[in-house]
């Protein structure tokens, strides 16, 4: 059942569009990422022109992130203070990234440079997350469920970075340290979340996607934010940066609004599954699944780069996008399975408790 | 309706790109909020109906 989208100039299967939206919503709600690499790749596989694939994908991410942020906020997972600090770093970095792209473009190496950076960063990140998961499962880990960089995060949180206060007209001298109670951080220098925001903005600006992919692990492994709060706060930040991207892309008429609305409906359904599963699944398992997803992204971009480097290798580009889509779908099934398993486990525990109480009452 | 909307979007985006951009953002934001509240109401109704249904089965 194909629908013609005159704006993008392409006919796309409606069930596939809805499926893509569902996958995006689920992954976004579960991992706290925007899903840019997935949505753009998926739309390209469907034959949407690249310009519209990026713009439409970004607009969908904005909408999906609004829904997921509101859901996570209800669960107490959004640290608004931290999110605003991150945005203060991300937005200027996006403009800096644009300037770097212009320099690379003038040198004629922008596309391959960006892809190589993407492959290396995602590969290192994915590998580290998997290593952290395997290491913290060992009995001699410091505390159960603690990440391997717990010592590093404590040191970073206790760092004193000058200037220790700044004069602000009308407010007097304001200290440059904040408490982030939602994240469970008593005191941290504002320059740390600002730096995290700058790194995110550079990464997102250079690669066109992946801000959430780099921010979420940075918040967990460097700043020391709990996994679920990192997810919620990341989504909040994506709403703001996604809105900026949407404004730019739609101004240039690179967004098919009807396609966005259709996918947003199924993405909202996916968001229910993703956020519900996030509540039930162990944070360590969330991290390992995220690591595997990031690694698949690295492989997909590597395949994309190979398709550009070799002639008559267009099949590698199709393979890249199909891998992303297929892996995204598989992860959604795993998430649904884990959530179901956790739900059945909870029911089993409740029934066992009821039986024990009945027995105690009968004995007494 | 599809064609009418396509014509509208083509003319607005061509003549008033900033207005079009703000229109796109507003539509997406409003639809996102509507969908969020739709699912909230849906699950609340579901959890309200659940105990009633179990009560009837018990009778």
């Amino acid at each position: 059942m194909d629908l013609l989208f005159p704006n993008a100039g392409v006919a796309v299967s409606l069930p596939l569009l809805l499926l893509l939206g569902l996958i995006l919503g689920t992954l976004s709600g579960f991992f706290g990422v925007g899903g840019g690499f997935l949505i753009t790749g998926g739309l390209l596989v469907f034959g949407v022109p690249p310009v519209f694939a990026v713009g439409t994908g970004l607009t969908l991410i904005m909408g999906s992130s609004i829904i997921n942020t509101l859901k996570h906020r209800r669960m107490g997972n959004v640290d608004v203070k931290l999110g605003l600090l991150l945005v203060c770093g991300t937005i200027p970095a996006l403009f800096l990234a644009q300037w770097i792209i212009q320099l690379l473009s003038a040198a004629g190496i922008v596309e391959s440079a960006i892809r190589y950076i993407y492959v290396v960063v995602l590969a290192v990140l994915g590998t580290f997350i998997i290593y952290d998961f395997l290491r913290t499962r060992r009995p001699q880990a410091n505390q159960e469920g603690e990440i391997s960089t717990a010592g590093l995060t404590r040191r970073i949180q206790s760092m004193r970075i000058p200037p220790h206060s700044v004069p602000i007209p009308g407010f007097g001298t304001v200290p440059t340290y904040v408490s982030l109670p939602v994240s469970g951080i008593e005191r941290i220098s504002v320059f740390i979340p600002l730096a995290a925001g700058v790194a995110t903005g550079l990464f997102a600006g250079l690669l066109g996607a992946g801000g959430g992919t780099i921010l979420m692990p940075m918040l967990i492994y460097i700043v020391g934010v709990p996994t679920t709060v990192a997810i919620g706060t990341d989504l909040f930040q994506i709403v703001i940066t996604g809105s900026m991207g949407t404004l730019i892309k739609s101004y240039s008429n690179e967004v098919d609004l009807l396609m966005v609305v259709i996918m947003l409906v199924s993405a909202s359904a996916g968001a229910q599954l993703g956020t519900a599963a996030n509540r039930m699944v162990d944070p360590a398992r969330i991290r390992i699944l995220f690591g595997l997803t990031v690694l698949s992204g690295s492989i997909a971009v590597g395949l994309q780069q190979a398709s550009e480097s070799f002639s008559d290798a267009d099949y590698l580009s199709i393979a890249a996008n199909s891998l992303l889509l297929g892996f995204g779908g598989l992860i959604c099934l795993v998430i649904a399975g884990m959530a179901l398993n956790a739900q059945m486990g909870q029911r089993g525990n409740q029934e066992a408790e009821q039986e024990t109480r009945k027995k105690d009452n009968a004995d007494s | 309706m599809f064609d009418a909307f396509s014509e509208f979007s083509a003319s607005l985006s061509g003549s008033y790109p900033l207005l079009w951009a703000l229109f796109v953002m507003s539509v997406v934001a409003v639809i996102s909020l509507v969908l969020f509240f739709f699912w909230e109401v849906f699950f609340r109704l579901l959890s309200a109906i659940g105990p009633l249904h179990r009560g009837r089965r018990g009778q």
Side-chain angles (χ1 to χ4, degrees), chain A residues 4 6-7 59 62-63 66-67 70-71 74 243 246-247 250-251 253 255 257-258 260-261 264-265 268-269 272, chain B residues 2-3 5-6 9-10 13 17-18 20-25 27-29 31-33 35-37 39-40 43-44:
Chain A
L4 175 65
N7 222 22
T59 308
M62 173 197 150
I66 289 173
I67 297 169
L70 288 170
K71 283 212 72 78
R74 274 195 188 273
S243 302
T246 299
L247 184 68
S250 49
Y251 185 87
N253 196 22
V255 175
L257 185 56
L258 282 170
V260 171
V261 169
L264 197 50
V265 171
S268 72
Q272 310 311 309
Chain B
F2 236 54
D3 293 334
F5 182 78
S6 300
S9 67
S13 58
L18 181 60
W20 170 246
L22 293 171
F23 176 74
V24 167
M25 286 177 69
V27 166
V28 171
I31 290 177
S32 304
L33 288 170
L35 286 168
F36 169 73
F37 286 114
W39 286 107
E40 289 286 300
F43 284 117
R44 280 190 193 185

Side-chain angles (χ1 to χ4, degrees), chain A residues 33-277:
Chain A
V33 296
F37 62 91
L38 174 77
I39 195 81
T40 306
L43 289 175
L44 287 171
V45 168
F46 297 161
V48 176
V51 157
F52 275 95
V54 173
T56 303
L58 201 52
T59 308
L60 175 63
I61 285 165
M62 173 197 150
S64 167
S65 300
I66 289 173
I67 297 169
N68 281 310
T69 300
L70 288 170
K71 283 212 72 78
H72 275 278
R73 182 141 169 84
R74 274 195 188 273
M75 286 154 46
N77 290 342
V78 179
D79 189 334
V80 176
K81 206 194 273 186
L82 175 60
L84 290 173
L85 282 171
L86 291 167
V87 165
C88 289
T90 305
I91 291 177
L94 285 171
F95 289 104
L96 177 63
Q98 223 22 57
W99 178 69
I100 294 171
I101 284 176
Q102 281 165 5
L103 289 177
L104 291 173
S105 190
I109 55 167
V110 63
E111 284 192 21
S112 50
I114 285 170
R115 284 210 189 94
Y116 284 126
I117 294 168
Y118 208 117
V119 170
V120 168
V121 169
L122 290 191
V124 167
L125 186 60
T127 309
F128 173 76
I129 293 170
I130 294 167
Y131 158 80
D132 170 75
F133 173 78
L134 294 171
R135 193 175 150 181
T136 51
R137 275 168 69 88
R138 283 195 218 140
Q140 59 265 31
N142 293 337
Q143 286 175 34
E144 199 178 311
E146 197 177 61
I147 52 173
S148 59
T149 60
L152 172 69
T153 63
R154 282 191 284 267
R155 278 200 297 277
I156 285 174
Q157 284 172 21
S158 61
M159 275 169 71
R160 289 180 55 78
I161 304 171
H164 304 298
S165 60
V166 289
I168 296 178
F171 291 94
T173 307
V174 176
T176 57
Y177 297 88
V178 289
S179 73
L180 301 170
V182 176
S183 301
I185 296 173
E186 271 185 39
R187 190 171 176 268
I188 190 168
S189 168
V190 296
F191 298 114
I192 293 176
L194 279 174
V198 168
T200 304
L202 277 174
F203 190 79
L206 284 173
L207 305 176
T213 310
I214 199 91
L215 179 61
M216 215 266 280
M218 243 196 305
L219 287 177
I220 296 171
Y221 294 106
I222 297 175
V223 182
V225 176
T227 301
T228 48
V229 177
I231 288 168
T233 308
D234 183 29
L235 284 164
F236 171 69
Q237 194 251 15
I238 289 169
V239 170
I240 299 173
T241 53
S243 302
M244 270 191 64
T246 299
L247 184 68
I248 294 166
K249 291 294 182 187
S250 49
Y251 185 87
S252 312
N253 196 22
E254 292 170 3
V255 175
D256 193 302
L257 185 56
L258 282 170
M259 210 182 281
V260 171
V261 169
I262 289 170
M263 288 194 285
L264 197 50
V265 171
S266 56
S268 72
Q272 310 311 309
L273 171 62
T275 50

